[in-house]
Amino acid sequence: DDKDRRCILNILDDYYNIRILEDSYKFSPSGTYYAPDYSFNTLDMYKEFVKNLPYNEGPEIFGLHDNANITCALNETNLLLDTVLNIQTKNISTSSGSNDSIVIDLCIDIENKLPSNYDIEKVLLQFPVRYNESMNTVLVQELIRFNKLLVIMKSSLFGLQKAIKGLVVMSDSLEQMLLSMSIGKVPSNWSKAAYPSLKPLGSWVNDLLDRLSFLQQWIDRGESPCVYWVSGFFFIQAFITGTLQNFARKHSIPIDKAEFDYRILTPTEMTIANTEKPLEGAYIRGLFMEGARWDSDQHIISESYPRELYMEMPYIHLFPKERSLVPLVKGIPEHYTGSVYGTASVYMCPVYKTSLRQGVLSTTGHSTNFVMFIRIPMNKNISQKHWIKRGVALLTQLDT
């Protein structure tokens, strides 16, 4: 998709350009990596040049932060542990009494934590379909989606307990559910019916309960919240469209002529936002930055601290405007970074649902894991290319 092309083109720009002919041109800030001298005329000279390169290349050659080494090590460790667990599940006997009792206790614990299904008809009376408030429709649609998930979870938990006790036949799906729960993984029949998530079972259930609590508080309050926990939505795009739709209907303009501008709130503004709604748009929370950090003092994106892989972002104001009033982003069109006529020094930061970032390419041309671009202010002396090579993105949730 366009995010892949943007990343590839900005990386290749370091190698496919006229500056590579200059003796002083280096591929990385340390100066370790550079092109061989054009005077090399034998194979041995090139071999010697290659031998002098570091045996283990560092993240800098790819434009990444040193923290990428930690992320790489974590990913390799998780892959190893997942492989071990997958092998172990083949040796787990479904008739093991100790394992069965643990899973039954886990099923009962999860069942007791799950709330009753939402009464959609009652909520529709409290939050009717209104022309000037699309959030009512968003809320009802979210409740319907979570109801479907709750039905699947409750029925499968009940069926698994009966199957373990020998009251019903242990089907293939129930056996897979038993194996998944015994090693702390989310059962596939749940994950297929749910939102994208890479969390283990315990964290996944807690996250689900937090999402349900967010919606319940919305219902109990009788009106939309001042700050939306954007990570708590089942389908985030519906919330984004609803926010634009409210603006478009209020000002009687076509929704395709409306576009978001963005503002990162200061600590003082965040305190006010907790009790006061914005005049236009919506305040959101719950995003995490990977690959960089937000400098609240300078109000710009900055380099990550050592060993700090993620940073929780402050509240962000989704500020809808007419498209013609949103400043163009300064950049290079061929690199998918903006316009040569742009005036806004911002990094177009992609937002993803999970740290995996990849998904299925949908009919919109975007990955199903992709949510939107958010404009993050940056130092005017640094181009977007720097942060693109850093792999900077916002995530709606972490893996733990």
Side-chain angles (χ1 to χ4, degrees):
D1 59 9
D2 57 328
K3 274 74 66 181
D4 297 320
R5 290 192 293 271
R6 185 179 77 153
C7 179
I8 292 170
L9 286 171
N10 280 277
I11 291 175
L12 290 179
D13 182 60
D14 286 342
Y15 306 96
Y16 290 91
N17 66 72
I18 194 65
R19 293 169 296 165
I20 200 171
L21 298 176
E22 301 172 4
D23 293 338
S24 60
Y25 183 76
K26 309 295 181 183
F27 294 134
S28 62
S30 68
T32 305
Y33 300 96
Y34 54 90
D37 193 280
Y38 62 87
S39 62
F40 285 12
N41 53 20
T42 65
L43 180 60
D44 289 337
M45 296 177 72
Y46 284 99
K47 286 181 177 180
E48 188 62 28
F49 175 82
V50 173
K51 285 181 181 179
N52 291 329
L53 292 173
Y55 183 75
N56 293 315
E57 67 279 359
E60 63 163 344
I61 186 60
F62 305 106
L64 298 169
H65 191 274
D66 287 343
N67 285 346
N69 278 327
I70 301 176
T71 302
C72 179
L74 287 173
N75 290 338
E76 288 180 348
T77 303
N78 290 333
L79 178 61
L80 173 63
L81 293 176
D82 285 342
T83 303
V84 172
L85 287 173
N86 288 332
I87 295 173
Q88 180 185 353
T89 57
K90 298 177 182 179
N91 300 321
I92 293 177
S93 172
T94 55
S95 61
S96 172
S98 59
N99 185 63
D100 290 350
S101 61
I102 292 173
V103 174
I104 288 179
D105 291 341
L106 183 57
C107 290
I108 294 173
D109 181 58
I110 295 175
E111 269 186 328
N112 292 335
K113 290 179 179 179
L114 294 179
S116 303
N117 289 9
Y118 294 104
D119 188 339
I120 303 300
E121 292 184 0
K122 182 180 178 181
V123 174
L124 277 170
L125 293 175
Q126 188 179 0
F127 296 89
V129 177
R130 289 170 50 194
Y131 179 80
N132 61 341
E133 184 50 276
S134 298
M135 289 299 112
N136 288 0
T137 303
V138 172
L139 173 61
V140 173
Q141 290 176 347
E142 286 291 304
L143 297 180
I144 292 173
R145 293 186 182 98
F146 277 105
N147 267 357
K148 292 179 180 178
L149 176 59
L150 287 172
V151 167
I152 291 173
M153 290 181 66
K154 291 175 181 178
S155 62
S156 59
L157 286 170
F158 180 72
L160 180 58
Q161 292 178 71
K162 294 185 69 175
I164 292 175
K165 295 175 182 178
L167 301 177
V168 297
V169 176
M170 178 73 76
S171 64
D172 289 340
S173 60
L174 289 177
E175 184 176 0
Q176 289 301 318
M177 183 177 174
L178 170 62
L179 295 175
S180 295
M181 295 184 71
S182 64
I183 59 174
K185 287 190 174 183
V186 181
S188 59
N189 55 334
W190 293 4
S191 58
K192 289 177 182 177
Y195 40 85
S197 179
L198 301 178
K199 294 179 180 291
L201 181 59
S203 300
W204 187 88
V205 171
N206 290 333
D207 178 65
L208 171 63
L209 296 175
D210 288 340
R211 292 169 186 255
L212 298 175
S213 176
F214 166 67
L215 295 176
Q216 187 60 53
Q217 290 174 14
W218 188 341
I219 296 171
D220 295 341
R221 194 182 298 109
E223 61 176 358
S224 57
C226 296
V227 182
Y228 293 92
W229 181 36
V230 70
S231 309
F233 287 105
F234 200 112
F235 187 58
I236 303 175
Q237 281 82 356
F239 162 73
I240 296 171
T241 303
T243 305
L244 276 179
Q245 197 169 54
N246 280 345
F247 172 79
R249 288 176 174 176
K250 179 180 178 181
H251 296 276
S252 301
I253 63 171
I255 191 172
D256 59 350
K257 290 188 178 180
E259 186 177 327
F260 282 123
D261 202 354
Y262 304 89
R263 236 180 114 260
I264 316 295
L265 302 191
T266 63
T268 303
E269 291 171 332
M270 287 173 59
T271 303
I272 298 173
N274 286 324
T275 55
E276 295 182 15
K277 297 180 181 180
L279 297 177
E280 300 282 5
Y283 296 133
I284 62 171
R285 62 180 177 87
L287 296 178
F288 299 87
M289 180 173 283
E290 181 182 27
R293 67 179 177 89
W294 175 251
D295 189 333
S296 56
D297 295 329
Q298 299 186 56
H299 211 72
I300 56 173
I301 184 175
S302 297
E303 296 290 355
S304 298
Y305 289 128
R307 297 182 295 280
E308 184 182 73
L309 304 183
Y310 306 98
M311 176 189 178
E312 186 172 2
M313 285 292 290
Y315 296 170
I316 300 176
H317 184 191
L318 306 187
F319 194 179
K321 297 179 179 178
E322 287 193 50
R323 180 162 294 167
S324 59
L325 300 178
V326 178
L328 292 175
V329 178
K330 183 169 61 176
I332 303 173
E334 294 81 4
H335 294 172
Y336 294 84
T337 55
S339 170
V340 292
Y341 304 106
T343 56
S345 294
V346 295
Y347 169 57
M348 294 297 290
C349 186
V351 181
Y352 295 98
K353 297 175 184 177
T354 69
S355 63
L356 190 61
R357 301 194 185 189
Q358 71 181 42
V360 180
L361 197 63
S362 63
T363 54
T364 61
H366 295 291
S367 164
T368 51
N369 205 335
F370 175 76
V371 178
M372 63 193 299
F373 279 110
I374 288 184
R375 297 173 172 225
I376 307 290
M378 65 179 187
N379 190 319
K380 295 182 179 179
N381 298 322
I382 299 178
S383 66
Q384 285 198 67
K385 174 184 174 180
H386 176 77
W387 302 114
I388 292 171
K389 291 168 62 181
R390 281 283 196 259
V392 178
L394 293 174
L395 309 176
T396 63
Q397 57 181 298
L398 301 181
D399 299 345
T400 56

